[in-house]
Amino acid sequence: QVQLVESGGGLVQPGGSLRLSCAASGNFFSINAMAWYRQAPGKQRELVAAITPGGSTNYVDSVKGRFTISRDNAKNTVYLQMNSLKPEDTAVYQCNAAMILPGTRYEYFYWGQGTQVTVSS
């Protein structure tokens, strides 16, 4: 079984920072792309940032210059450093990982449980 466990959410004032972590564990062969999504109340889930095993990244326009995605392949962990947070960043943040399972050639996508980020004064 594969698990993605997130941590680091919470309440922060506008302009503040938070760092989210998502660690993968279980029986898998390798991890391809990892990503962070978010969903605010009444809105659709959106891709916030993604990163390949080699470190190539992409971001939604609204977080460019403020958020940084990174990963530690040795620890099977992806991070999201969020700076200059705004109230509109308030959402449940979930990590996603594309994994290759032992004995297969196909990607399987797994989700973390989600962590709440609230930006408010």
Side-chain angles (χ1 to χ4, degrees), residues 81-103:
Q81 178 66 45
M82 305 183 293
N83 299 328
S84 302
L85 282 160
K86 304 176 180 180
E88 51 263 42
D89 294 317
T90 295
V92 175
Y93 286 70
Q94 278 184 290
C95 65
N96 174 275
M99 296 183 167
I100 307 296
L101 302 184

Side-chain angles (χ1 to χ4, degrees), residues 11-17 83-90 118-121:
L11 173 64
V12 64
Q13 291 187 340
S17 298
N83 299 328
S84 302
L85 282 160
K86 304 176 180 180
E88 51 263 42
D89 294 317
T90 295
T118 302
V119 184
S120 175
S121 55

Side-chain angles (χ1 to χ4, degrees), residues 40-79:
K43 294 188 177 181
Q44 289 189 332
R45 182 166 57 192
E46 69 170 348
L47 174 64
V48 176
I51 185 168
T52 67
S56 297
T57 60
N58 66 278
Y59 299 89
V60 67
D61 285 347
S62 60
V63 308
K64 286 180 180 176
R66 300 188 297 121
F67 290 10
T68 302
I69 189 171
S70 61
R71 64 191 284 172
D72 185 332
N73 292 328
K75 294 182 179 180
N76 298 316
T77 299
V78 63
Y79 305 96

